[in-house]
Amino acid sequence: MSEKIELLGLPLEKLKSVFAEIGLTSLDAKRVFPWIHVKLADSFEVMTDVPQKVRDILKQRCSIARPRCITEQKSTDGTRKALLEFSDNCRVETVFIPDENRNTVCVSSQVGCAMGCKFCHTGTQSFTRNLTSSEILAQIFFWKDKFPITNLVFMGMGEPLLNYENLFDALSLLLSEKAHNFSRNKITVSTCGIIDNAIDELAKFGVKLAISLHAPNDEIRNSIMPINRKYNIKTVLEAAKNYQIKSNTTHVTFEYLLLKNVNDSDENARELASLLRGIPSRVNLITFNSWPESKLQGSSKETAHRFLRILLAKDIRAIVRKSRGDDILAACGQLKSKIC
Ligand code: SF4
């Protein structure tokens, strides 16, 4: 028997085509769809308004099972990190971040990553494969089965825009009123700066964009982010401006990891401010979360606040972002799944 078809990540039209291939009707697909996405069913047996013979075919040919959870760790600040394993034994990490008035899930989009950013733990794990849309959705189902989820950030392992087809299927389900019904303002997709057609397509979903900038000039960015040799800062900023207009979002977020003696001087802060002048933006300053074998060091809290003051004085909206889950290696740039 061939492998079962994963249904979690299929938008309704794709679900209908799969159903047609296995001898089921559009009406069957329409009945099954809300069971999967609204009632969060994890077996076909509970779908009481779906005829038994349809359920039997589905059981035989398809799957809506959740991935296997290998480990789940809880940080002292309440953040939880789960290592999930898919049917081919590939593993990714996903993080749940509870806060006073929101519960955010950080979603991975690839197994490993090919981008090789020097500050990132995932970047030390070579790229294995893209996640399917079902595997992307499965991470959200995993947390939704336990907690109400209000926000999603595609900032886990991998570069989402290098897996845009599966990302877009996942987004269309997450934004659909008939499925997960997230507001577009509650979803953020993060990119290290892949500037091609995918970013224009992403703008059509109207979700928020975060760009990992991490440097105020090409020299520094080249030294920590190899992708800058393909898409330099000027290209990235131009794309950010276009994205904000096309997506009709209020601003683009720039992530800036403060690295001791690399990008954290007063001069770097002034350079960054002048780069971002005129772009509707917000800067998230992040204190570096180290991981085993990391050669880079984070800037001190004092440096972070001095850097922040310089940006604010130049009318750049910025905050120092609170790091979450760093004691369980769940914070930004710390994820790694060890095997696969
Ligand atoms: S920061 Fe993102 S793009 Fe860069 S290596 Fe890590 S996962 Fe890949």
Side-chain angles (χ1 to χ4, degrees):
M1 181 75 205
S2 59
E3 267 186 27
K4 289 190 173 179
I5 307 165
E6 301 275 353
L7 303 185
L8 290 184
L10 299 184
L12 185 56
E13 288 314 306
K14 290 195 179 175
L15 190 70
K16 285 181 188 169
S17 329
V18 164
F19 272 37
E21 283 164 28
I22 59 173
L24 301 177
T25 65
S26 287
L27 181 64
D28 294 329
K30 276 195 199 155
R31 281 199 183 122
V32 167
F33 189 80
W35 277 104
I36 299 177
H37 297 286
V38 181
K39 296 182 188 159
L40 307 182
D42 62 0
S43 84
F44 298 111
E45 213 35 66
V46 299
M47 301 181 180
T48 43
D49 63 350
V50 177
Q52 189 62 52
K53 71 174 188 326
V54 174
R55 281 187 262 163
D56 289 342
I57 295 173
L58 288 170
K59 256 194 288 184
Q60 231 185 354
R61 304 290 308 275
C62 302
S63 169
I64 51 171
R66 311 304 194 243
R68 201 154 77 91
C69 177
I70 304 296
T71 55
E72 187 180 331
Q73 293 166 273
K74 189 172 173 198
S75 158
T76 50
D77 67 15
T79 300
R80 289 163 187 256
K81 179 173 80 165
L83 178 64
L84 303 182
E85 185 177 83
F86 299 112
S87 53
D88 64 352
N89 300 331
C90 274
R91 296 175 176 185
V92 296
E93 292 185 322
T94 172
V95 182
F96 169 74
I97 310 149
D99 218 330
E100 268 163 39
N101 44 18
R102 64 168 89 170
N103 284 338
T104 304
V105 169
C106 178
V107 186
S108 291
S109 53
Q110 297 180 314
V111 183
C113 185
M115 295 294 96
C117 304
K118 295 281 190 292
F119 46 79
C120 175
H121 203 197
T122 309
T124 63
Q125 177 184 354
S126 56
F127 173 73
T128 303
R129 66 171 176 85
N130 282 332
L131 293 183
T132 64
S133 59
S134 291
E135 291 165 338
I136 292 174
L137 256 291
Q139 299 167 62
I140 297 155
F141 278 94
F142 174 79
W143 295 115
K144 250 189 154 182
D145 287 342
K146 302 167 185 253
F147 307 105
I149 304 301
T150 59
N151 293 59
L152 298 171
V153 293
F154 286 81
M155 293 185 182
M157 297 166 62
E159 165 53 52
L161 291 185
L162 291 179
N163 183 18
Y164 61 89
E165 287 183 10
N166 291 315
L167 171 73
F168 293 167
D169 276 352
L171 286 178
S172 71
L173 284 166
L174 293 166
L175 293 166
S176 162
E177 281 173 23
K178 296 198 170 103
H180 297 264
N181 199 19
F182 277 92
S183 150
R184 65 190 187 94
N185 300 319
K186 304 285 184 190
I187 299 181
T188 302
V189 174
S190 170
T191 177
C192 65
I194 303 295
I195 312 303
D196 58 16
N197 293 341
I199 199 164
D200 291 332
E201 290 300 310
L202 181 70
K204 294 180 188 161
F205 290 93
V207 294
K208 296 206 271 187
L209 180 69
I211 296 181
S212 300
L213 191 62
H214 305 317
N217 59 52
D218 284 325
E219 195 186 338
I220 298 178
R221 200 162 189 265
N222 283 341
S223 73
I224 54 175
M225 297 183 73
I227 190 65
N228 196 62
R229 294 184 189 276
K230 186 159 183 196
Y231 303 113
N232 64 14
I233 290 184
K234 188 165 176 266
T235 314
V236 168
L237 295 182
E238 204 50 47
K241 270 193 246 173
N242 289 337
Y243 186 90
Q244 188 269 322
I245 295 164
K246 284 187 194 153
S247 63
N248 196 23
T249 44
T250 51
H251 62 273
V252 170
T253 299
F254 291 101
E255 307 284 349
Y256 194 103
L257 194 59
L258 285 162
L259 300 165
K260 188 176 176 185
N261 298 332
V262 175
N263 63 1
D264 66 348
S265 70
D266 292 2
E267 178 54 25
N268 294 152
R270 286 191 285 271
E271 266 182 292
L272 179 63
S274 78
L275 276 184
L276 300 185
R277 194 166 298 132
I279 304 178
S281 64
R282 177 183 293 178
V283 178
N284 278 344
L285 296 172
I286 310 162
T287 44
F288 178 60
N289 302 300
S290 66
W291 33 271
E293 304 108 47
S294 158
K295 293 200 184 73
L296 294 161
Q297 281 183 294
S299 311
S300 64
K301 267 195 189 149
E302 294 69 41
T303 305
H305 283 96
R306 198 198 63 233
F307 203 96
L308 175 68
R309 281 196 298 276
I310 295 173
L311 294 181
L312 294 176
K314 296 199 173 278
D315 286 334
I316 301 295
R317 289 173 69 202
I319 53 163
V320 175
R321 201 171 71 192
K322 198 164 56 167
S323 181
R324 301 289 306 268
D326 45 357
D327 56 332
I328 55 166
L329 293 185
C332 281
Q334 289 186 316
L335 301 187
K336 190 169 177 177
S337 56
K338 294 193 182 72
I339 68 159
C340 201

